[in-house]
Amino acid sequence: MKILLVEDEPKVAAFIVQGLEESGHEVTLAYDGTLGLRFATKESFDMMIFDVIIPGMNGLELCKEVRKQGISTPILMLTALGTTEDKVSGLDSGADDYLVKPFEFKELLARIRSLSRRSLGAAEVSNKLVYHDLELDLDKKHAVRSGKSISLTAKEFSLLEYLMRNRERVVSRVQISDNVWDIHFDTGTNVVDVYMNLLRKKVDKDFDTKLIQTRIGHGYVLQA
C-alpha cells in the first residue's frame, strides 16, 4: 500500500516508517500539517495516518481539509489524547479510526488491515476505478474520460485496469506481461509497447493532460 504519514516526532516517525516499509508498504512522510495537506491533495494514497498534535495545521484540521477536497482515502488518527471526547472529535473530523499512543506496532498494522478491507469492500460495491478524470466500470467493462466514452478491446481494458490499480506506480514490461497476459514475454518482443501505444491514443490523444507516461528504462506509469 502507498501510505501518507504525518508525524512531527522524529523518533516516532522513524519507528513507524521503518515498520511499514519492512511490512512491504511505501511511505511518504510529512513533519507538519501544511506539507501533509500538499501531499494528500497532489498524490494518490491507499491510506493516510495523521498525528493530532502537529505544527502548521493540527491533525483534526488536516483531516477536515482533506475531506473538504473530496478525498475518501481511509484516515487513521494517532494521538496521546485518549479520552472519549478526543476520539469523538477525531471521528467527527472525518477520520475512520483512532489509535492512542503509545501503541504496539502490530496493533497499528491490524488497524491498517481493517481499514483497507473496509475500503476495498466499499469499492467493490460500486466496482469502479477512478483516477483524475478517468473512470473504469469493471462490471460494464466501460471506460469514460471527462464524460467521453472510450471504446476498448478486452485486452486494452485489462491493461488500463492494471495501470489504474497501480496508479502513480511505475510498472515494468515484465510486470505488465505477467499480470495482463499471464505470461512472461521474451524480452525481445514489443507487444507491451504496441498495446500501450494503442491505449495511449484512445485515453490521451484528445486530452491536454496525458495520463499514460513512459519511464525510459523502467516501464510505464499512470500519472497526471
Side-chain angles (χ1 to χ4, degrees), residues 7 19 34 44 73 101 106 114 125 134 141 150 160-161 164 167 169 190 195 206 209 223:
E7 169 62 68
T34 304
S44 179
T73 301
K101 296 178 179 179
K106 61 183 179 181
S114 176
V125 172
L134 179 63
K141 302 299 180 185
I150 301 173
L160 183 56
E161 179 183 350
M164 290 187 73
R167 61 197 182 280
R169 295 170 182 158
N190 67 341
Y195 266 91
D206 298 327
T209 300
Q223 187 171 37

Side-chain angles (χ1 to χ4, degrees), residues 79-185:
T79 185
L81 308 173
T83 67
T84 300
E85 290 75 14
D86 293 321
K87 294 178 181 178
V88 170
S89 296
L91 298 174
D92 282 347
S93 70
D96 297 278
D97 203 355
Y98 203 97
L99 187 57
V100 178
K101 296 178 179 179
F103 54 83
E104 291 190 30
F105 188 75
K106 61 183 179 181
E107 183 178 2
L108 175 62
L109 286 180
R111 298 294 184 95
I112 290 174
R113 286 194 298 268
S114 176
L115 287 177
S116 178
R117 286 195 297 268
R118 199 182 310 169
S119 175
L120 287 173
E124 287 167 1
V125 172
S126 62
N127 222 16
K128 290 182 180 180
L129 296 174
V130 179
Y131 179 72
H132 195 60
D133 57 351
L134 179 63
E135 181 177 301
L136 211 58
D137 190 316
L138 302 180
D139 290 329
K140 297 179 180 179
K141 302 299 180 185
H142 184 235
V144 175
R145 183 166 183 193
S146 290
K148 180 181 178 181
S149 180
I150 301 173
S151 178
L152 299 174
T153 66
K155 191 55 65 179
E156 289 168 347
F157 187 92
S158 296
L159 179 56
L160 183 56
E161 179 183 350
Y162 181 70
L163 290 175
M164 290 187 73
R165 289 190 183 278
N166 292 276
R167 61 197 182 280
E168 299 188 353
R169 295 170 182 158
V170 177
V171 288
S172 69
R173 290 167 178 79
V174 172
Q175 288 174 309
I176 293 171
S177 64
D178 286 347
N179 287 276
V180 178
W181 277 268
D182 200 28
I183 57 174
H184 181 79
F185 287 123

